[in-house]
Amino acid sequence: MGGLQKKKFERGAATNYITRNRARKKLMLSLPDFRRLCILKGIYPHEPKHKKKVNKGSTAPRTFYLMKDIRFLLHEPIVGKFREYKIFVRKLKKAYGKTEWSTVERLRENKPTYKLDHIIKERYPSFIDALRDIDDALCMCFLFSTFARTGKCHVQTIQLCRRLSVEWMNYVIASRSLRKVFISIKGIYYQAEAMGQLITWLVPYQFSHDHPTDVDYRVMATFTEFYTTLLGFVNFRLYHSLNLLYPPKVWWKLSALSASLARVVSSADEEDAELDQFPEDMEKMEAREKEQKQQEAQRKMFQGLKFFLNREVPRESLAFVIRCFGGEVSWDKSICIGSTYDVTDETITHHIVDRPNIDKQYINRYYIQPQWVYDCVNAKILLPVEDYFIGVTLPPHLSPFVEEKEGDYVPPEKLKIMALQRGEKPANEQEEDNDEEEEEDEDDEEEEEEDDNADEEEDDEEEAEEKNLKEMEDKRSQGKSLQVKVTPGKVKVENPARLEQEEKAEEKRLAIMMMKKKEKYLYDKIMFGKKRKVREANKLAAKRKAHDDAEKAKKKKARK
Amino acid sequence: MAAARRLKRVAASQPGFLTLKPSLNPSDLVSGRRKRVNKNKKKNWNKHSDINDVEEFLEDVRHQERTTGGLLSEKSDDSLFFLDVGQPKKAEQKVEEPVETKKRKGKASRPLRIDLILQHDSLIPPAKDVLAYQQPNAKKLRRIAQKAEQLAAKGVVPRRQRQLLNRRPVDRTAKKSATEANNNPDREYYDIWGQESRESADPWYLQQMGKKHVKRPEKLNEKPSVLPAVEVIAPGGSYNPDFLSHQALLQEAHDVEVKKQKQEDKLERQLAFNKEEKATEETVLREQVEGLVEEENEEEEAAANDDEEEVAVGAIALAEKKTERQRKRERAEKIKEQQRLATRKQTDQQQQLFQLRSIKASIKQREQKTKANQIKRKAKQEAQKSQPRRLGKLKFQPQDLEVQLSNELAGSLRQLKPEGSILKDRFKSLQKRNLIEPRDRAKFKRRLKVKYVEKRAFKEIT
């Protein structure tokens, strides 16, 4: 046969991929060095679509890299640094073996090091790219800063991670960009917004460490090495965008999170930039202005309030959150440096406690549990403090990361918060009216009102009417005279918006009546599907009600 | 000198005279036949002249100078003699002693023996080494030194000195490797995105010199997975969760456990042994006895089988040769068959015109099927994208859901016991997003087999 026959596995997919061992030999590196290089450069293994073709007929599971990527790696200067390091280790071992201590000293002083700056510039050509990838970096830095300084991983790495995480937290405080907080059983999730990017990161609890054995520490250390470099540069840029001095001179003082950062140019505080006036619809502009005002109000939520943290609450997390929204915070001097005022200060407005009871109580301050702070941040308003007093069963801590769509089940607590957000007064006021007249059956009425709130999202006027009617019926059933009197009639103001809505509903009904049979069939199917969601939500609500009833019954029994 | 010599000879010739050197006989000095020697010859000046007396005198002089530092005859009376007037007062000496510290009793005041040995014991000062003071080119060197002094006075300093002065002291505060290391806690950062590109020279030149910057391939900028970096836990994972979301999370964990349990049960069922299938004694006996016991039923069955076989044997008999008639008939039939098929085909084609509707319907059905398949395949691909890809030998093992049972839920933040390790969570997240491949720990493999030998004591026991 001739020599121009096509041979198998010589072109196409088979030549685009290369196995890991082959790639390693091509680069002349050891396996841990190869892994480290891939992690630093951001080169990941690929799974080819047709494994048999690439693997030359066998289906053995192998790790494949793209040939182009490996060829790109050959041009990387830190490959040479890795090889130098290998030689350095060899020379060091020899010197140790011959006990030539002066040689050891000299070699140690001239240890080969490498820099990752050019890799970062190559992987993230613009600042926004780096911001998109900063989630991972933040999680790693916060995680490593909580490690014990035993020497399992370099202590300098832990210190560097601690410094970077403190700098980041101070940036978030200075720019007031924290948006959401969620306390989970895993750790605390934060979400902040920087330069239009939403950044989510997870901070572990300080006291939870058991080091699992199946985690590869070298891989994590390499990732951390890269991420610390990245985070440092990002911090630098962020600080400069706010005209703050970087690096902050005494960062460990800032770790208390109670001091504010020094500014490079002492400009006037927070000059609010005015929005450019684009030729747009009035509605959009108004909406945007409203949003901006809301955001401004949210940023200054805790302004003017003075907090004091008791010993048993998580100090760093609470200090961070409180300061992000403009509040002042302090703690006992013996816990940490940086406490600004003492527990005996009269101007403290809120004292955060987590114990079942507390000895000395000052009059003009609220004693609340720490969940109040987090719930306020998520609800974006100051919630009523009464639900969070010491010894009170806390309302559940809802996740702010859940976006509820129309028709989904919404937990009653969330509905309450949404009502508060809309500025309505809660059902508490009407309860007070009842208290004056009927002291029995308070609980039942509260229940009914809460149920009303929970089960339906109707117009407020309708709700109020229903409640009134119920009250009147109850009063009548108990034989008391109604307070209804004949009064001159009031002109009912016709709400134009409501009228429009009614008209639209009428039109819709007419259109449905005029549909053809086939179209009606389709329409029914769609509505059935939609209503199914609502029905499920109702079912869940009924379950919840049953559970609440059971709880209430239990409580009553316990009381008796 | 001659007189001194004569005196000595005369003294020596006295009969009782004792010489210093006992070997010498006094008589030898004076008497005895002397051979006559010519003293005028140079050879005899050294051989036959007696200079012992001179030598002795000179030795005596040298001895005096060594021991006393000069001729005794030239010394003054006071240096040689003193008047003994008894013991002087010792009280003054005793006052001085207690001033000294008691530590130095007498040991420090006494000089060391080695110092004593090394001292000069003659009082004659050692001779000056003239060669040591001799310098070749002393004049030249003096001239150079004077010139250098004059220049220094003017301010001009030689190059060596200038270089020494310019050398700065070495900064040995921090080790270079420690400050440049990547994990130095005090490392400096700068504005990496503010600087412009450094393409300074002509791109052709850079390429030829091998200094051209290699572009990063575009594909590397895509993320290997669509999953977000940080996945927030479900609302049921809050430390104080809402009842229903907690139940939902528990339900999920329950489903996972049920699945696991089902798989285990399936395995067990496959491996299970049915007791009824176990051989009883009766069946064992029957099996062993099979074919040995003769019965009538068996013979009839055997006969029926034989008949069937014979029929089959008969059909294999050879076929006879075909005649021409048969061949013609076959050909005609073939042609007829073909014609029939052709007309059938034509009529089919004509009839298809009337079947248009049903054909359309069938085509539509097929198209719908393909479309449905396409949609399914696309949905599968999308789902695959969020799954971790198989990158190596091991499959990805997702970690257990972090969930706290209802009785484990804490009432307050203080009593909260955290679930799960964030280190593991981050590691698994990296694997899930296809950034690293799942690997297990490296096993310890021995190159050479280990040989086990019993100790002698054990051998005796066992």
Side-chain angles (χ1 to χ4, degrees):
Chain A
M1 298 290 177
L4 291 172
Q5 266 205 332
K6 273 200 204 171
K7 283 200 184 146
K8 254 186 160 183
F9 307 124
E10 258 184 16
R11 58 197 95 209
T15 48
N16 287 343
Y17 289 89
I18 185 175
T19 60
R20 188 193 62 196
N21 278 337
R22 275 248 175 108
R24 191 177 63 80
K25 279 191 200 140
K26 198 172 170 104
L27 288 161
M28 295 187 285
L29 287 174
S30 67
L31 184 60
D33 277 344
F34 176 71
R35 287 196 99 195
R36 197 178 305 149
L37 182 67
C38 286
I39 290 171
L40 290 175
K41 287 285 277 186
I43 291 190
Y44 313 118
H46 283 261
E47 190 188 3
K49 265 197 206 159
H50 304 282
K51 247 200 198 147
K52 247 185 162 178
K53 278 193 205 169
V54 172
N55 217 349
K56 307 212 173 132
S58 88
T59 44
R62 260 186 241 198
T63 318
F64 290 104
Y65 289 83
L66 281 172
M67 193 65 198
K68 259 195 194 166
D69 296 348
I70 303 296
R71 256 188 251 134
F72 171 63
L73 269 183
L74 285 168
H75 298 280
E76 175 57 42
I78 61 174
V79 173
K81 293 283 184 176
F82 282 164
R83 293 187 198 137
E84 271 178 37
Y85 190 80
K86 189 172 84 165
I87 294 169
F88 160 76
V89 167
R90 195 195 304 156
K91 284 188 187 166
L92 197 65
K93 257 200 222 167
K94 257 202 212 168
Y96 258 108
K98 292 186 185 173
T99 61
E100 288 170 2
W101 303 118
S102 57
T103 317
V104 166
E105 266 285 325
R106 179 175 51 87
L107 285 170
R108 273 252 164 81
E109 268 184 37
N110 298 330
K111 181 172 165 182
T113 54
Y114 55 87
K115 288 252 173 223
L116 298 172
D117 306 354
H118 62 284
I119 298 183
I120 290 186
K121 187 78 206 279
E122 174 197 300
R123 277 177 82 170
Y124 306 107
S126 78
F127 178 54
I128 298 292
D129 298 328
L131 266 188
R132 283 199 204 110
D133 255 359
I134 207 76
D135 293 5
D136 238 341
L138 281 171
C139 287
M140 282 292 211
C141 281
F142 275 94
L143 173 65
F144 265 67
S145 58
T146 58
F147 278 179
R149 295 168 198 218
T150 50
K152 210 172 177 192
C153 52
H154 291 173
V155 179
Q156 298 115 318
T157 313
I158 299 178
Q159 282 179 322
L160 181 62
C161 288
R162 175 83 184 136
R163 166 192 153 193
L164 290 171
S165 43
V166 164
E167 282 174 7
W168 168 261
M169 283 203 281
N170 277 296
Y171 165 76
V172 174
I173 290 174
S175 63
R176 306 273 181 97
S177 41
L178 188 66
R179 300 279 177 259
K180 295 183 185 172
V181 186
F182 180 41
I183 306 185
S184 73
I185 48 182
K186 249 202 236 180
I188 308 183
Y189 288 90
Y190 294 101
Q191 188 176 71
E193 186 180 341
M195 311 250 172
Q197 300 285 333
L198 283 172
I199 299 169
T200 318
W201 73 96
L202 170 60
V203 177
Y205 289 114
Q206 301 281 79
F207 43 79
S208 64
H209 275 298
D210 51 332
H211 282 256
T213 47
D214 53 348
V215 171
D216 192 348
Y217 277 92
R218 266 187 293 191
V219 163
M220 302 300 268
T222 316
F223 270 108
T224 309
E225 189 184 348
F226 180 73
Y227 284 143
T228 49
T229 323
L230 175 65
L231 187 56
F233 287 119
V234 166
N235 273 349
F236 182 95
R237 191 65 184 245
L238 288 171
Y239 270 55
H240 274 261
S241 73
L242 284 184
N243 277 336
L244 294 166
L245 190 67
Y246 188 89
K249 286 293 172 185
V250 199
W251 65 267
W252 48 268
K253 264 196 194 159
L254 292 174
S255 68
L257 296 171
S258 57
S260 50
L261 297 164
R263 291 191 179 244
V264 170
V265 181
S266 51
S267 50
D269 280 359
E270 284 152 35
E271 303 168 6
D272 291 315
E274 283 189 15
L275 280 180
D276 293 331
Q277 304 282 338
F278 284 111
E280 271 185 29
D281 312 334
M282 282 300 292
E283 293 177 10
K284 279 193 192 169
M285 255 177 47
E286 275 178 26
R288 212 187 294 158
E289 274 181 29
K290 206 173 162 191
E291 240 186 75
Q292 245 223 329
K293 271 191 202 158
Q294 260 187 5
Q295 272 202 358
E296 284 296 319
Q298 192 196 348
R299 280 186 193 179
K300 300 186 180 161
M301 197 160 62
F302 291 149
Q303 196 135 21
L305 302 180
K306 266 178 132 175
F307 291 82
F308 189 83
L309 305 176
N310 221 13
R311 287 163 192 277
E312 67 275 355
V313 302
R315 185 198 62 83
E316 194 166 295
S317 165
L318 277 171
F320 174 56
V321 172
I322 290 171
R323 286 216 66 228
C324 264
F325 289 93
E328 287 174 38
V329 64
S330 180
W331 47 84
D332 201 55
K333 255 186 259 220
S334 52
I335 305 177
C336 185
I337 54 167
S339 79
T340 39
Y341 44 85
D342 203 20
V343 66
T344 48
D345 193 342
E346 297 292 320
T347 48
I348 295 178
T349 52
H350 295 76
H351 189 139
I352 305 201
V353 186
D354 208 359
R355 299 180 191 174
N357 45 24
I358 188 168
D359 313 334
K360 192 174 176 193
Q361 298 225 2
Y362 289 81
I363 302 174
N364 52 349
R365 55 170 90 157
Y366 291 119
Y367 287 83
I368 44 177
Q369 305 193 32
Q371 197 183 312
W372 180 78
V373 177
Y374 299 115
D375 282 344
C376 283
V377 171
N378 288 334
K380 300 184 194 158
I381 49 164
L382 287 175
L383 294 173
V385 193
E386 294 82 42
D387 304 328
Y388 298 88
F389 279 152
I390 309 177
V392 173
T393 320
L394 293 169
H397 178 62
L398 302 166
S399 165
F401 292 98
V402 168
E403 305 282 333
E404 271 121 6
K405 290 164 240 159
E406 277 184 37
D408 281 350
Y409 167 72
V410 184
E413 292 80 16
K414 184 125 192 208
L415 287 168
K416 210 168 159 191
I417 292 172
M418 288 193 331
L420 282 168
Q421 276 176 341
R422 274 178 293 197
E424 297 156 11
K425 302 212 175 128
N428 290 335
E429 287 207 5
Q430 297 198 335
E431 285 173 30
E432 279 167 31
D433 285 340
N434 295 339
D435 283 340
E436 292 171 18
E437 309 192 302
E438 297 163 359
E439 283 165 9
E440 311 164 25
D441 300 329
E442 258 180 23
D443 293 346
D444 292 335
E445 287 207 350
E446 276 178 38
E447 259 189 74
E448 282 178 328
E449 278 156 359
E450 277 184 29
D451 290 342
D452 286 337
N453 279 344
D455 288 342
E456 290 134 341
E457 280 185 305
E458 286 174 7
D459 282 348
D460 304 335
E461 297 174 353
E462 290 187 18
E463 260 187 32
E465 278 185 27
E466 279 196 35
K467 274 184 221 145
N468 274 331
L469 283 170
K470 273 200 178 161
E471 282 170 33
M472 286 175 25
E473 280 183 36
D474 289 332
K475 281 185 196 171
R476 210 186 265 168
S477 65
Q478 289 171 10
K480 292 191 183 166
S481 59
L482 295 171
Q483 281 196 321
V484 181
K485 279 185 261 178
V486 178
T487 48
K490 281 186 243 170
V491 178
K492 209 173 183 190
V493 179
E494 287 285 343
N495 205 345
R498 187 135 178 246
L499 274 179
E500 259 188 63
Q501 265 186 17
E502 281 185 15
E503 276 186 41
K504 278 195 187 150
E506 275 282 334
E507 281 173 14
K508 202 176 172 192
R509 252 179 282 147
L510 282 173
I512 290 174
M513 277 200 294
M514 290 206 294
M515 269 201 289
K516 284 197 208 153
K517 205 175 175 185
K518 267 193 195 171
E519 291 167 12
K520 180 112 198 297
Y521 185 56
L522 202 62
Y523 177 75
D524 280 339
K525 264 191 162 174
I526 295 172
M527 290 313 286
F528 180 78
K530 268 199 189 161
K531 287 189 185 150
R532 191 194 304 153
K533 270 195 183 171
V534 178
R535 255 183 283 126
E536 279 186 15
N538 284 341
K539 227 195 275 176
L540 287 171
K543 254 200 204 171
R544 175 66 194 262
K545 189 176 165 189
H547 169 76
D548 282 340
D549 290 340
E551 290 272 303
K552 286 247 160 72
K554 248 196 260 171
K555 259 196 217 164
K556 273 195 178 160
K557 274 195 190 163
R559 232 190 288 164
K560 282 176 187 168
Chain B
M1 201 168 66
R5 235 190 279 165
R6 211 195 310 137
L7 204 65
K8 268 195 187 172
R9 214 184 290 125
V10 166
S13 64
Q14 298 299 317
F17 182 74
L18 290 165
T19 56
L20 277 165
K21 292 181 188 168
S23 57
L24 235 63
N25 250 346
S27 53
D28 284 336
L29 282 167
V30 183
S31 63
R33 289 258 171 169
R34 267 182 275 156
K35 198 176 180 187
R36 295 202 73 189
V37 178
N38 190 3
K39 284 196 207 161
N40 296 331
K41 289 256 166 105
K42 211 176 187 179
K43 256 197 208 173
N44 301 329
W45 291 350
N46 222 358
K47 261 204 256 181
H48 296 286
S49 57
D50 183 15
I51 52 167
N52 283 334
D53 40 2
V54 178
E55 288 288 327
E56 275 178 34
F57 172 72
L58 287 175
E59 269 291 330
D60 191 31
V61 166
R62 280 184 218 128
H63 186 260
Q64 278 177 28
E65 282 184 355
R66 248 202 331 266
T67 47
T68 55
L71 285 175
L72 281 173
S73 52
E74 287 168 9
K75 289 219 182 231
S76 61
D77 291 338
D78 285 328
S79 62
L80 291 171
F81 306 103
F82 67 94
L83 202 57
D84 191 6
V85 285
Q87 282 186 342
K89 292 182 194 169
K90 283 189 185 172
E92 298 160 20
Q93 286 176 8
K94 277 190 181 168
V95 170
E96 290 175 25
E97 276 179 21
V99 176
E100 293 176 20
T101 52
K102 271 214 169 170
K103 260 198 279 177
R104 312 170 153 275
K105 281 188 183 168
K107 297 226 171 160
S109 50
R110 264 209 342 216
L112 293 174
R113 187 129 199 111
I114 188 76
D115 289 341
L116 289 173
I117 295 172
L118 286 174
Q119 270 172 6
H120 294 296
D121 36 354
S122 84
L123 290 166
I124 305 173
K128 197 164 81 165
D129 184 8
V130 184
L131 290 173
Y133 288 91
Q134 284 181 347
Q135 255 187 337
N137 294 337
K139 260 198 209 164
K140 187 175 174 189
L141 293 171
R142 239 180 295 135
R143 228 185 311 132
I144 292 171
Q146 277 173 359
K147 233 191 222 166
E149 250 177 73
Q150 284 170 3
L151 287 173
K154 275 198 226 160
V156 177
V157 156
R159 188 180 297 153
R160 266 281 168 79
Q161 249 197 328
R162 230 185 306 142
Q163 281 176 351
L164 278 173
L165 288 171
N166 285 341
R167 255 207 279 173
R168 298 278 168 259
V170 173
D171 192 3
R172 288 209 169 271
T173 46
K175 283 197 190 165
K176 173 185 157 238
S177 61
T179 43
E180 281 192 6
N182 271 332
N183 56 4
N184 177 23
D186 301 318
R187 65 177 282 187
E188 301 284 318
Y189 294 100
Y190 54 92
D191 189 8
I192 197 173
W193 290 283
Q195 294 154 7
E196 298 311 314
S197 72
R198 50 201 157 20
E199 286 288 330
S200 48
D202 185 31
W204 168 253
Y205 166 76
L206 286 175
Q207 193 191 21
Q208 291 300 303
M209 297 299 291
K211 289 188 191 149
K212 186 164 187 186
H213 174 59
V214 182
K215 260 202 304 185
R216 189 179 167 92
E218 278 300 316
K219 244 196 174 174
L220 282 176
N221 292 337
E222 293 167 5
K223 290 217 175 127
S225 170
V226 298
L227 294 171
V230 179
E231 287 178 11
V232 185
I233 198 173
S238 159
Y239 90 104
N240 182 6
D242 175 41
F243 174 70
L244 281 164
S245 33
H246 187 232
Q247 294 293 321
L249 194 64
L250 285 175
Q251 182 72 28
E252 271 183 49
H254 173 76
D255 288 339
V256 168
E257 289 294 316
V258 159
K259 224 182 183 179
K260 267 198 240 170
Q261 189 66 32
K262 267 198 195 165
Q263 280 192 343
E264 280 182 31
D265 286 341
K266 187 172 165 190
L267 264 180
E268 266 186 53
R269 249 183 295 136
Q270 284 177 341
L271 298 172
F273 181 65
N274 198 357
K275 275 220 165 145
E276 291 169 25
E277 289 178 17
K278 188 173 177 169
T280 55
E281 277 198 33
E282 197 187 296
T283 48
V284 167
L285 195 66
R286 213 198 294 174
E287 195 184 323
Q288 284 178 350
V289 158
E290 194 134 6
L292 298 174
V293 177
E294 290 183 7
E295 283 181 28
E296 289 176 7
N297 299 345
E298 284 189 59
E299 283 181 6
E300 282 178 26
E301 285 175 36
N305 282 346
D306 288 332
D307 288 332
E308 285 172 17
E309 281 174 28
E310 278 175 314
V311 165
V313 167
I316 303 171
L318 276 171
E320 289 173 15
K321 211 171 171 199
K322 278 191 209 171
T323 54
E324 263 209 50
R325 213 194 282 175
Q326 273 188 329
R327 271 188 237 231
K328 257 199 225 161
R329 211 188 296 164
E330 273 179 15
R331 236 179 283 152
E333 277 180 20
K334 219 197 237 178
I335 293 170
K336 226 201 264 179
E337 188 69 35
Q338 280 178 351
Q339 277 178 347
R340 196 174 60 86
L341 279 173
T343 45
R344 180 78 193 270
K345 209 172 162 192
Q346 256 204 336
T347 46
D348 268 345
Q349 279 185 346
Q350 283 174 351
Q351 292 299 340
Q352 270 186 0
L353 212 69
F354 302 110
Q355 290 170 354
L356 269 177
R357 218 198 269 177
S358 60
I359 291 172
K360 238 194 204 173
S362 66
I363 290 175
K364 235 193 210 174
Q365 242 190 8
R366 244 186 283 162
E367 267 181 17
Q368 270 178 359
K369 256 196 212 166
T370 47
K371 259 193 207 161
N373 278 349
Q374 269 180 357
I375 292 170
K376 253 194 244 171
R377 221 181 294 148
K378 261 200 185 151
K380 213 178 169 188
Q381 268 184 8
E382 293 292 318
Q384 276 279 327
K385 269 193 199 165
S386 59
Q387 290 286 332
R389 325 274 347 252
R390 179 79 188 272
L391 291 169
K393 208 155 79 163
L394 297 176
K395 275 200 184 154
F396 169 69
Q397 298 279 357
Q399 55 179 150
D400 307 327
L401 278 173
E402 281 110 1
V403 118
Q404 276 189 340
L405 302 173
S406 314
N407 52 354
E408 287 172 4
L409 280 177
S412 72
L413 198 54
R414 184 171 49 101
Q415 290 156 348
L416 171 67
K417 194 163 177 286
E419 280 282 327
S421 149
I422 296 212
L423 181 61
K424 203 168 179 189
D425 168 67
R426 288 275 97 217
F427 188 62
K428 290 284 178 186
S429 160
L430 290 171
Q431 282 180 356
K432 215 187 205 185
R433 280 180 282 147
N434 304 326
L435 297 175
I436 49 178
E437 59 191 21
R439 293 179 82 208
D440 58 355
R441 263 191 117 133
K443 278 175 278 185
F444 179 64
K445 275 194 207 164
R446 279 188 193 275
R447 285 239 180 101
L448 309 162
K449 269 203 300 189
V450 176
K451 204 162 144 184
Y452 286 102
V453 179
E454 271 182 338
K455 275 194 189 170
R456 260 196 217 144
F458 286 167
K459 263 197 191 158
E460 287 170 0
I461 298 172
T462 57

